[in-house]
Amino acid sequence: MATQPQPQQPASTYSNYQHFLITTPAPFVAHVEINRPAKLNAFHEAMWLELRSVFRQLSSDPDVRAVVLSGAGDRAFTAGLDVMAAAGGDGENGDGARKAARLRRHIAEFQECISAVERCEKPVICVMHGISIGLAIDISCCADVRVCAKDTRFAVKEVDIGLAADIGTLARLPKAVGSQSWVKDVCLTARDFGAAEALAVGFVSQVHESKGAALAAAVETARFIASKSPVAVQGTKELLNHSRDHTVEDNLRYTGVWNAAALQTDDLTKALTSGLQKRKPTFSKL
Amino acid sequence: MATQPQPQQPASTYSNYQHFLITTPAPFVAHVEINRPAKLNAFHEAMWLELRSVFRQLSSDPDVRAVVLSGAGDRAFTAGLDVMAAAGGDGENGDGARKAARLRRHIAEFQECISAVERCEKPVICVMHGISIGLAIDISCCADVRVCAKDTRFAVKEVDIGLAADIGTLARLPKAVGSQSWVKDVCLTARDFGAAEALAVGFVSQVHESKGAALAAAVETARFIASKSPVAVQGTKELLNHSRDHTVEDNLRYTGVWNAAALQTDDLTKALTSGLQKRKPTFSKL
Amino acid sequence: MATQPQPQQPASTYSNYQHFLITTPAPFVAHVEINRPAKLNAFHEAMWLELRSVFRQLSSDPDVRAVVLSGAGDRAFTAGLDVMAAAGGDGENGDGARKAARLRRHIAEFQECISAVERCEKPVICVMHGISIGLAIDISCCADVRVCAKDTRFAVKEVDIGLAADIGTLARLPKAVGSQSWVKDVCLTARDFGAAEALAVGFVSQVHESKGAALAAAVETARFIASKSPVAVQGTKELLNHSRDHTVEDNLRYTGVWNAAALQTDDLTKALTSGLQKRKPTFSKL
Amino acid sequence: MATQPQPQQPASTYSNYQHFLITTPAPFVAHVEINRPAKLNAFHEAMWLELRSVFRQLSSDPDVRAVVLSGAGDRAFTAGLDVMAAAGGDGENGDGARKAARLRRHIAEFQECISAVERCEKPVICVMHGISIGLAIDISCCADVRVCAKDTRFAVKEVDIGLAADIGTLARLPKAVGSQSWVKDVCLTARDFGAAEALAVGFVSQVHESKGAALAAAVETARFIASKSPVAVQGTKELLNHSRDHTVEDNLRYTGVWNAAALQTDDLTKALTSGLQKRKPTFSKL
Amino acid sequence: MATQPQPQQPASTYSNYQHFLITTPAPFVAHVEINRPAKLNAFHEAMWLELRSVFRQLSSDPDVRAVVLSGAGDRAFTAGLDVMAAAGGDGENGDGARKAARLRRHIAEFQECISAVERCEKPVICVMHGISIGLAIDISCCADVRVCAKDTRFAVKEVDIGLAADIGTLARLPKAVGSQSWVKDVCLTARDFGAAEALAVGFVSQVHESKGAALAAAVETARFIASKSPVAVQGTKELLNHSRDHTVEDNLRYTGVWNAAALQTDDLTKALTSGLQKRKPTFSKL
Amino acid sequence: MATQPQPQQPASTYSNYQHFLITTPAPFVAHVEINRPAKLNAFHEAMWLELRSVFRQLSSDPDVRAVVLSGAGDRAFTAGLDVMAAAGGDGENGDGARKAARLRRHIAEFQECISAVERCEKPVICVMHGISIGLAIDISCCADVRVCAKDTRFAVKEVDIGLAADIGTLARLPKAVGSQSWVKDVCLTARDFGAAEALAVGFVSQVHESKGAALAAAVETARFIASKSPVAVQGTKELLNHSRDHTVEDNLRYTGVWNAAALQTDDLTKALTSGLQKRKPTFSKL
């Protein structure tokens, strides 16, 4: 145990964020909380810009090997976009083409900020509870594993405010679950659905009695993942994400090239030896 | 309510179809019935050519915002291809290459007719009951949402008549549900499966006690969808269909360009305002 | 029945394999057993090279129309890679780039051997029981239908030995089931999962009380498939495999060209006539 | 020669077109002329709808094996879109999203009409002369072979009227020639370029002294192509068009399936035998 | 002319860059010079990070409608990577997998910086002269139009320093010119090639007598492009870039959606009217 | 120089081939001659099976770093398929679907044999002379660099014998040159074209006075390539081949992963140091 690198408290290097609280509940595990509970964790622009910064930092932080993402407070993971903050409009003039150019750039940057959760090289476990609508779905679709509390109220809410979801839900949700009849149903009707339904269709893979229980389970899973070879874990995330958007053949070719470098690691021997010796291996930073 | 555009009875403009009965069970909702119950709604060529015409008309009809598709009679949604009608052969001669050219053109047009259900810009809810085999699967895979009665008897029947399904089932079914082991099983064995199994694998998203109950629920869902912004609803269908056949990144880019125009709609304000005022919004035609 | 071509005992033409036992439990059905039970059917290099030879031969053998794949013995379908056999290293020197080139070629050939199960033109039903970890998942993902015994213990085990799975699991598993939250969970944690969970997520499509019962059911399904038109069955497998890696439109185009030749078969008439006459058709070899 | 099917004068079956003149300059060769010379063959909507009809008919006409496309009169292949006819606007109201929906449908149908030239199963040789700007480039990019007269004045003109070309030039021109620096130059500046430059970059493959000479050469090439096996020729066009939009591996797979039917033709023996006997083969209709 | 928005001198808002000199040689035209002539404009890391910042700023600057990119001094556009600066190594330890992770992240960021030239929404004309090797090819492949002086000495130099080019040359050069035999030749041999050869294969589209003449011509082309509708010009660039990486069908669909918004511009009327009135139109900012 | 690994004479390990003569004209260079000059080097099945074996062996032979491919004798590179040998037919019966299955498997294996030239990890320079028709084009399109003698007579000949080329020409030729009008012309007409035309369109990158001169130049280029880092050269070939069939973004990602291992080579230092010291580096085997 003496040679185990002591995970630094990430909180110190993550203390200057305004809208997110980052702590270290277990070695090599970061816990990111959306921290605007008084407003049901609803997002305004400064928040999604900051979300990108947080996950970029986590992605390259050698002291972090797994991430848990949740919302602060009892009532909501997030109620989605803060419509009041967004309603101001851009105040600029111009014809339809010029408005479109501004809107397109705006959407592209918004998408890119949320996608930072998916691009983070470390696995992200998303814990949902209470109100989890609109942007909540976009964000959680970027996570690797989704769990929730029994009280969660989900909705792909965008149709109800007059638009097609454009920050990732329509791109990722159909590829996150199997039943497309169900996907079309919830996206076209904007109806609520609960934890049991989310589990049945495979959107979440665990339901827990309470937010607390869900969070504890997520941290435990993150701790467990963080105890394994980071070369193996981060490679697995990368190759699974590549798989979604490529053919089997393309993915096999990419995998071969990836592992041609990744297998040149001491983690293989460490994992094997400690397995035989029934002790916990210690892996170098990555 | 005074400004609400009164949906015209579509039946009048749809009254010249031979094999399909089109009615208006709710505002902005069209109900299309396959109307050959004496023959279990089995299809011959004139029928699939007409199916294409029906859905092309619905696609651009501003008085239609959601579509329900079902089969007339108690016994079958459709028993598929009318084999007797198809068995006549083409009577033309030629070597294997020339026969192949004729077959290829025939299949391509047949596929294109059935795909009209998918290309229809308005959401389509398919209600199945009784015998729903062969072409029933090809057609229902083109719908957005699938529901069925408890008595439905499904089968990907083509292998039993000596051919691989070629009108869309093998292209779309694997992407409509999650379990590929199940897809291969039903496609390779041509065995029957029932409503419960269809629900468990996610092929349908609702099972009802009877055809009547299934139809009522579908009309209610269609009515609900039709009450929402058509800009939002039709954009959602388009972006979800695009998503199936593109990478996440490609879909995000396409979505950004799509919404750059779609967000320039009055529906946003209408939806928001009426939401706050707890009254039903009225949207212009699309 | 007199004209029915008598399936030859494949065992005779398959008797020179060392690590696999091939028998003929039913007409036109081959049963392939991984045959190293004393070592939990763990694979070394000679075995996967031989696996490729077995499935190449089955692919073009006109006396085989369906294949059942299982593991000999009571304890394991396969415990995966024989780590002890693999641990020898290559003993060759060279810089990191040269090691990478050797590793890449090695992985590519290993992948190509296992993919032979998928490329086999005849449907493959995989029967799992007992220990089914690591390479067991890579192999079974190449099969068309997966069934298992109640006692099966599955795991995507690679992370536990310090690597990302590279022989196909990360390429095919996400496309074989619906819930990506579940896929990420089992791949990132390397945790065990059982038959009930495998069924619930759709990884297997049947669970049986025992290995014996699972095997019997698989042979029965294989016998059933083998009784149908081989033109129809093998076309269905090809078109479904093509579908996974292509857009709907691409698959429809490919299907049209495929069936332009495949419909020029006597099997259509045979299947139709025998269906009407309620007798079993006899199809020519393919 | 007695058994040679006499090509019917297509003109008779093509005589009811308003804007195109169709004649038969050689056996199995159709010559399509854009026939509005007084207006520099500029297109209005009725014309592109008719263009689609013409090429659909040619595509399935067994008496046509090659097509020549040119513009009537001395001054222009076509001056492109008839801006005056298009400038009327749609007179309909609606917000930006609703205008966009109308524009999108309009563009999609316009594209689909012009693409009929590419989808025509028979090779199309396009002869350009004089003014060949705007839509002239969109149309000619759909042809298989492009030749021109020395006096041709080309331009990708759309930028000069305030829009990005949307009927196919930006999709196809970059794939029709090699130098992307040149493509960007002519598309971004809308500048004129002449026959010599078009030949140097490979946009056309022949330049002739006059329109008459270019047309004569095109008819001669079409006659030559039409004298060959239509199975071979039409397969070659299909496989080359498929190649442009697919990987080499995908195209090889598609080609194998295509030729599995196409090689079952009597044309192989006819071509071989007549080659040895140095006489002209006669091929059946396709 | 009075209403013409006066282009601000970009230099003022671009004056804080260290390694690039940005000026305004014509209305709405920015000229970016790589400004390290004493070192043959060779790049170190701070430079490519700054290159990204410069082109991001240009991309969204409404006062810029076209960009010219060149190298300061008489001797080189750029001699590529400053090998001395790069040779320091990372000084960090770790096994082969960990080194690979650091290298991969480093390459990805380097690629992303250079790609900023391609992502810039405004057309970029690259002017090469003198030594233009290694990174010079990567960078110029990101530009839209390439011109050069007669004295330019090009080389895809990477093989000579022991590596495969990884910053974009191997991705983009094969798609920028036609002859793949030539591409393989210059990439595998690392040999020099001159202006005439570059023109013959279509890598550049103009050769001028001197750097000065090339620069003058590029500025003139940029000025010409900048005088046209920015909606049309920027749409054309976007659609051509999309075309390279998508099928014709995908690009047509994307184009339709793009222009559904872009055609809602006043530039159409302005361009048309001023064309008829033979005066220069004035377009609003974009 | 003492540590320079002496290239073994490949001829000894390549002496058991029947139809190909393999020699070592320069260090690390293999010269493969198609060796059936009495029959104009026409191919029968045993030859293409052997071609695959030859190039598989070369691909993994550490003593080979570049390959030259040519045809023995004065008259032909190859006259293509030996039609007499192929005309025997398969003598087997069966309906159209069963014939198609045999043809499809046959074509797939034939394609796979010829593709071995492309899959060879070492660069291949193809030298053509005299008759170079039919299969000559399929084969040469798999090479990296193509050169020819002045007397070469090329033709995509397949249409003249009643079929569409199916061994790779239609898949690869459109991607090997720029002008698609030219590609369609030569593929649809089957006309001859000469060395000058081949050079002008970029199909070959050099034309020499005679076969001898072309061969000498090819060997010299191969020798030059073989003197460079094999890590750099083979990586360059792999990444360029990947580029043809992937988007720029996909290729950049793949390149980053590839070079993450490839940069961990001693060749970087060797190449750099010897460059500074103006002496020839010696690279380890790969």
Side-chain angles (χ1 to χ4, degrees), chain F residues 198-217:
Chain F
L199 183 66
V201 299
F203 179 58
V204 299
S205 44
Q206 294 171 24
V207 175
H208 295 273
E209 280 301 304
S210 64
K211 177 192 167 188
L215 196 51

XYZ file of all heavy atoms in Angstrom, chain F residues 198-217:
135
model
N -2.775 8.002 -70.124
C -2.723 7.501 -68.751
C -1.990 8.474 -67.832
O -2.352 8.657 -66.666
C -2.047 6.124 -68.715
N -0.941 9.106 -68.381
C -0.194 10.089 -67.596
C -1.012 11.361 -67.410
O -1.065 11.933 -66.311
C 1.126 10.417 -68.303
C 2.054 11.384 -67.566
C 2.581 10.759 -66.271
C 3.246 11.769 -68.458
N -1.665 11.792 -68.484
C -2.422 13.044 -68.425
C -3.547 12.981 -67.390
O -3.811 13.953 -66.682
C -2.998 13.382 -69.803
N -4.199 11.835 -67.272
C -5.290 11.725 -66.293
C -4.790 11.319 -64.916
O -5.563 11.256 -63.964
C -6.373 10.723 -66.748
C -7.000 11.176 -68.062
C -5.841 9.319 -66.831
N -3.494 10.999 -64.807
C -2.941 10.671 -63.494
C -3.050 9.210 -63.112
O -2.792 8.858 -61.967
N -3.411 8.346 -64.079
C -3.465 6.924 -63.741
C -2.068 6.401 -63.466
O -1.836 5.662 -62.519
C -4.132 6.135 -64.873
C -4.199 4.662 -64.620
C -4.852 4.167 -63.496
C -3.592 3.753 -65.481
C -4.909 2.788 -63.249
C -3.649 2.386 -65.229
C -4.308 1.910 -64.116
N -1.080 6.769 -64.317
C 0.329 6.497 -64.022
C 0.992 7.821 -63.672
O 0.521 8.886 -64.052
C 1.067 5.835 -65.222
C 0.430 4.499 -65.574
C 1.100 6.768 -66.422
N 2.090 7.739 -62.922
C 2.769 8.984 -62.586
C 4.104 9.142 -63.315
O 4.763 10.163 -63.139
C 2.917 9.154 -61.075
O 3.337 7.987 -60.453
N 4.483 8.152 -64.107
C 5.687 8.281 -64.933
C 5.511 7.452 -66.202
O 4.961 6.359 -66.148
C 6.934 7.731 -64.223
C 7.403 8.452 -62.999
C 8.513 7.674 -62.281
O 9.216 6.865 -62.887
N 8.640 7.903 -60.987
N 6.043 7.966 -67.324
C 6.111 7.183 -68.557
C 7.570 7.124 -68.984
O 8.261 8.146 -68.943
C 5.262 7.810 -69.681
C 5.439 7.046 -70.992
C 3.801 7.843 -69.281
N 8.030 5.940 -69.356
C 9.433 5.776 -69.765
C 9.507 5.249 -71.190
O 8.547 4.695 -71.716
C 10.141 4.829 -68.801
C 10.238 5.386 -67.415
N 11.263 6.199 -67.003
C 9.402 5.284 -66.357
C 11.065 6.565 -65.743
N 9.937 6.024 -65.324
N 10.691 5.407 -71.768
C 10.881 5.051 -73.178
C 10.629 3.584 -73.485
O 10.173 3.223 -74.542
C 12.308 5.413 -73.629
C 12.467 6.887 -73.963
C 11.512 7.323 -75.075
O 11.537 6.712 -76.168
O 10.712 8.266 -74.840
N 10.954 2.743 -72.530
C 10.862 1.301 -72.780
C 10.515 0.596 -71.485
O 10.597 1.177 -70.399
C 12.218 0.777 -73.256
O 13.170 0.948 -72.211
N 10.159 -0.655 -71.594
C 9.908 -1.446 -70.410
C 11.155 -1.458 -69.522
O 11.082 -1.307 -68.301
C 9.535 -2.877 -70.781
C 9.322 -3.769 -69.560
C 9.238 -5.255 -69.912
C 9.348 -6.089 -68.638
N 9.457 -7.527 -68.899
N 12.329 -1.627 -70.168
C 13.567 -1.674 -69.386
C 13.775 -0.397 -68.589
O 14.107 -0.444 -67.397
N 13.540 0.733 -69.240
C 13.747 2.006 -68.548
C 12.735 2.177 -67.419
O 13.056 2.681 -66.332
C 13.624 3.161 -69.539
N 11.501 1.756 -67.664
C 10.466 1.875 -66.632
C 10.821 1.010 -65.433
O 10.698 1.422 -64.270
C 9.105 1.469 -67.205
N 11.291 -0.189 -65.717
C 11.645 -1.121 -64.647
C 12.828 -0.593 -63.838
O 12.834 -0.638 -62.597
C 11.974 -2.477 -65.279
C 12.000 -3.694 -64.380
C 10.743 -3.804 -63.531
C 12.158 -4.955 -65.245
N 13.798 -0.060 -64.547
C 14.976 0.479 -63.851
C 14.574 1.637 -62.942
O 15.025 1.731 -61.793
C 16.009 0.953 -64.878
N 13.691 2.497 -63.430
C 13.245 3.630 -62.620
C 12.456 3.144 -61.409
O 12.602 3.676 -60.299
C 12.392 4.575 -63.461
